Amino acid sequence: MSVTNHLTSLFEAIEQQSEHSKSVASLVALFSSSKDRNRFLELIKSSSFHKNHARRLFGALLQILSDVVGKEEFIPANAFHDYHEDERRNSQGTKDSHNVDRSDRLSSVASIPPVTPDEESSRAMQFMKYSAMMVQSYLANIVSKSASKEAKSRVRKPHDVMDEVKEITEILHNSLFELNSCGKEGLIVQKSIISLCEAYWNGNFVDRNDYVTSLIPLLLLRTLDGNATKADIKRLWDMKEALHLISYQDESVAFLRSLLLRTVTSLLYVKNIEGRKVIAHLFQLDTSLVKDLHTAIKAQIPMATKTVVPLYGDIYWRAWKEAAQANDESHGNGDDDNVDCDSSYSDLKSIKDSIEEVLQELMNAAVHVVSPHMAKSLRCILDPFHAQKKNPDVDLLLYNLYTPFLWRSLSAANPMVRINASSILARTFPLRNPNLGSIHLKEVNDKTVECLSSLLNDNDHKARVAGCNATVHILAMTWDALSVEDIRNLLTIIIIKHAKDASSSAVRAQAVNGICQLLDAPETHGVLKPLLPFLGDLIHDRVEKVRLATVKLLLKLKKTKGFKYYHTVPSSHLLSRLAAEGEQVKSTTGPVASALTELLSNSFFPLNAVPSEQMRRTLSFLDNDPQAARVFYSNIGYQLEIRSVSKLIVLFIKTLKLAVAKDVKDATANNKDDSFSTDESSFDGTDSQGEDTESDVDIVVGSNTKLMSEIAHNMLTLLNSIANDLEDPENEGCFDFIQQEIRSDSILDICKHFEAKSIGGNFKALPFTSSKNDCQRICASLLSCSRFVKVDDRDGLRQYLFDRLEAYSKLPATEWNGKEIIPYLSVFFLWSMNRDVARSLSNSISSLFYKDEDIVFLPVSEKSNRGKRKQHGISEMKQTPDSFPNLPGGLSIEIVSTVLRGSDSSCLLIRNSLVSCEESITMLLNALEKATIAAEEIISGSTLVNCHEKDSIELILSACEAFGRLSIHKEAYKTTTPLDLNPQGRSLLSWLSKRAIPSIISKLSSEDASSPFKNLNLSRISAIGTRESASPVPLSPLILQPPRRRSNVSTTPSKVDTSFVSMERQGGRYIVHNHAADTQKALVMVIALLKSAFGLFGDWLMVGGQGGDDIISNVKEWTKIFDCAVVGVDVKMELLPSYCRFVAIIAHTCSDISLLKELFNLDFSQQGNNCIEEFMEAGFKYILETKTEREKRFSDVVQILVNNLRFPDESEEEISKLEEFVNCQKVAVKVMLKMVTASKIGLVALADTLSQNLSKNNAQTSSVHDKLLVLLLDHYKDEQGVFGELKESVFRHITSKCVTPQIFQSIQNVSRDEIMS
């Protein structure tokens, strides 16, 4: 059947209807079926569809389409209704409603108006859509027919098309914007028409330029929509030539220009290659558009991410490259016959020049911008040009654009400009004109070397770093470009001068990093090899980044052929540094320690060696350098495979077994026949090369407890480093391999052996000295390894631990040491028995405090009473094999205190386990809180403690201390910030300020009065509202034991440590006897509580706690107790160290020094001044040691100091020297005066303050200030620098009326007229 017959129904639908509306309905009905529609479209595309068919079809469609579009039948009726309704409302004055609807109409054309098409408009839009589809199919037909002809002729000519098709396309194109007001269905039709216009353009049909004016904005809008895809940008890229048809100077295209500028802000454009091509092509459209696009990109650079900034550089590179190619083609081809592109290429030279202008603006900004971040971003944008420097055109471009300002910028006054210019110089070297000869190149090289030398010797350390970086970059990339002499001079500055630069660690680190970078160039090796030892000393630099850079250099040397790293840094220095990293750095797994471990791993644990050789080196390392070995094995577990680490752990445990076996067998025998291997627990005695290793075998004996403790410790370290990996099912084989050796019986045998050794044995003839501490460390490490013992293999070890705890609890209280029992307890925490242990400790502590008639505390040292508590001992409390036994209450308190103060791994484990478990910490806090009741009884005096009062008070306060410390740890465990002072802390502040202090003062004023403490309830401090049960919320931790009576209050220690803790320990202690007065006991307890409060709230502020103002205001009330006096109790001396520490902390954390006033007012005339001065000096040093606002801190302190100056009892004339004036002041004033006058900043602040006071007051009423100023001038008259500063201070503040004869006489070489002026 012919095509005509197939198209009969289509022709009938559009030709035989009397009205066009019926034709529209017929065509829509015919095309409603997708099968029929696709059949008709395929027929139109086929080669059988000829011009006669097309003329008949499109002629009929043109008439109908003209009526439909001309009468606007495709626009829904409600769209007109809304518009006219708006007009009517506007005419009636409904301005607000009109504005709302108008804002909808003026919204983006890409938005969907709230319009619902009616039936007639819907059919009309469907007709327009099908018409566009048929025209597009016909265009495809024409393109397919002419494709074969174009392939043969290789010339693509515009395709001709009949007038009917042009007219239909024009009508549809002109209706594109109107379809935006037709709702969602209108947008669907618009999409079909856009597709038609694109096909018309891409098919290169005649007059195609007429159908892009509405197409381009719509394509742009679609790419800028939030739902745009790469395909949308690709469609716009295919239409790029159409962008040249628009005159961008015309004001009517302002909206289109705004859309084009928005492309640079779209990440979809910037992150896709087609989008960057589009933006680069926009630079070719117009010179004014180049500047606007550049301005838009500049606005994006400051906020652009690191991944986006280089993409903008790619855009600039493509834009310049495209403009340069077009300009070259224009010069090479002469006149261009392409009519479509004639207007866009007419001014290519001006466009290229405009692009180079904006590039030069970027280059200039990259050198002169202030922000380092912005300079780095600009350099990143320019890097595509720097990377193409080998291209002659790019080389010439860089020379022309950088030369006008770069050389001048390298010697600019601003160091940031010099720094930025050095980075550009390194990237553009050599900055030359490629068209000139070698003479020009030599001049450029000489100028570059001169600039580099200037930068390397710059006064600014950052400029020196930048100069070193630029020098290294140039030498690494173009080593042969410079002369040998220039290279030697530059390297000498870097290695000799920069590596020893004491003023900047950054310069030293860059020197090492630069040499490391140069090693990547093989041609530099011959020059660098003899110079590298000069960098070896930097391995011990005080700054970590310098040490790390040095170790990285050694790692580079290790991997570089022809170099030995130990020729640069000897092995002994490496080991010393490794050991120092464990002592001087917070973490043994720091970056330097980790890098050193990687460097030395092949030396001390070669993976390719046999196990006997590995163990020989390991034992030698542990024996000769135990501290370095600890750091090494702390890091090696994270660098080796888990299988290698597991084998090393097994070698360690087998070594311990071997040592115990030898020790048991015969401690004095020669064990040369014994051997060691991983398979049969034997040791060869010879290394892999057959050398005798007898000395290494001999040290593997149990009597060498130092080595054994190191083996046990490092085995535990390795186990902990792979603990998380062992939980992985993939490593189950390694875990089983370890558990086969780390068994309960093995741990028990080794622990029992070394426990016996610690208390004596038949080992005296051995060449090694047994150490009790070493044995304890061995047991502690092995017990910590019990975490990895199988669950069903723990019964024997558990019973052994219970027996050890029971034996320890039977010791006298004087022999209790929490450090010895902590390792045994830590095992239960490793086995997740933290609740059982906490319950046992809390029960023991709770049973210790009770009230029965006159007894409120059960003494731990009373033999008769100890028997009463025996029923609560281990033997009675042990109900099941798995239950944890109860310990004596005093021992439980000792354990908790040790755990809270300790810093070893066992204490940290127990502390973290307790704090992380709400149930465990609540039980302990409730038990410890009961100690506050006993403290309350002592303060109130309502009940007397029994005869063993010394131990009672110490244990009560020890429990209170543990309670406070545990509370602090609980609060610190919370992740909430900031740390607000809780209600219990505020309650303690208020209680001390409003009740405790006033009560003790009142009691001291009336010795015969009844105790005012009877109504106080100290335990309520930790409660909120009604107290129903013991609260787990923290009270204050008592840092120290209570004060006791001094045997000789006038005696002072011969040597006083400056630390506050040592001060407290060296101070006297009060012993409260039975016959002591009730007032004395109450005062002693209040002093202890105040010490506790000073320590607690000081620590709270140091960890970032809030509430500083409230704490300061309350502490000012506490200072009233300094005036209290009781026979045998020196309040000032007892509280002074704690108070000085607290004042120093307040000054640092809250920048408040108001509490110094109270310290200056204290009178210590009856105490030993040497000790007091030591205390105060420590506090004042901490106050004045501040890195920020140092001058302001000195000024504030000096102002308080000046206000407390005084004359002694003797007359003023008798004081003639500064030392005499200082010594006659109060203790605090004297100490502060000495410290202030020892500092230049302090001297200037003191002179300023004195001069200001003299200028404000009459000189006769400020004689003390006048006298001190004169003494200062006389004392420093021989020191010209200080004396000059003092004179300037006098001239700044003192007026002519206030210049006394004494001051005038002290200012030598200055005329009175100069002073008066």
Side-chain angles (χ1 to χ4, degrees), residues 1002-1179:
S1002 175
K1003 189 172 186 178
L1004 291 173
S1005 63
S1006 178
E1007 283 288 338
D1008 297 332
S1010 59
S1011 174
F1013 283 84
K1014 291 181 179 294
N1015 296 326
L1016 298 179
N1017 186 3
L1018 184 61
S1019 61
R1020 292 198 186 100
I1021 294 176
S1022 61
I1024 303 177
T1026 305
R1027 177 185 171 121
E1028 297 179 357
S1029 62
S1031 171
V1033 188
L1035 236 180
S1036 71
L1038 291 170
I1039 307 300
L1040 303 163
Q1041 298 177 355
R1044 309 173 197 166
R1045 173 174 295 173
R1046 292 171 180 261
S1047 58
N1048 187 354
V1049 295
S1050 62
T1051 303
T1052 57
S1054 59
K1055 182 179 180 181
V1056 180
D1057 196 331
T1058 56
S1059 67
F1060 292 106
V1061 175
S1062 297
M1063 293 176 190
E1064 292 280 9
R1065 290 173 180 171
Q1066 292 174 11
R1069 292 294 179 265
Y1070 292 96
I1071 302 175
V1072 183
H1073 298 286
N1074 289 340
H1075 59 271
D1078 183 46
T1079 305
Q1080 185 189 34
K1081 297 176 183 178
L1083 181 60
V1084 168
M1085 183 58 69
V1086 171
I1087 290 174
L1089 289 173
L1090 284 179
K1091 284 187 177 184
S1092 169
F1094 284 135
L1096 167 65
F1097 294 112
D1099 293 342
W1100 171 259
L1101 293 174
M1102 289 190 71
V1103 299
Q1106 305 297 308
D1109 294 338
D1110 292 339
I1111 295 173
I1112 293 172
S1113 61
N1114 281 276
V1115 169
K1116 290 179 180 179
E1117 296 294 326
W1118 301 353
T1119 57
K1120 295 178 181 178
I1121 200 173
F1122 287 131
D1123 299 327
C1124 297
V1126 174
V1127 177
V1129 180
D1130 193 339
V1131 179
K1132 296 176 185 177
M1133 287 299 297
E1134 284 297 330
L1135 291 178
L1136 181 61
S1138 300
Y1139 184 70
C1140 288
R1141 176 180 182 271
F1142 181 78
V1143 170
I1145 292 173
I1146 284 290
H1148 261 265
T1149 58
C1150 303
S1151 298
D1152 190 309
I1153 57 174
S1154 59
L1155 293 177
L1156 274 178
K1157 298 177 182 179
E1158 300 296 334
L1159 196 56
F1160 284 149
N1161 291 329
L1162 294 179
D1163 185 9
F1164 293 95
S1165 57
Q1166 304 299 324
Q1167 287 82 4
N1169 289 338
N1170 292 336
C1171 185
I1172 297 173
E1173 290 180 12
E1174 291 284 351
F1175 295 167
M1176 291 187 174
E1177 185 179 356

Side-chain angles (χ1 to χ4, degrees), residues 588 621-622 625-635 709-710 713-714 717 777:
T588 57
F621 190 22
L622 291 173
D625 262 306
Q627 187 61 38
R630 285 194 174 201
V631 182
F632 179 83
Y633 291 108
S634 296
N635 292 274
S709 66
E710 294 300 327
H713 173 82
N714 289 294
T717 301
R777 285 193 291 268

Side-chain angles (χ1 to χ4, degrees), residues 947-958:
C947 58
H948 293 273
E949 216 166 332
K950 172 185 173 182
D951 295 332
S952 302
I953 295 177
E954 291 182 1
L955 200 52
I956 289 173
L957 294 179
S958 181

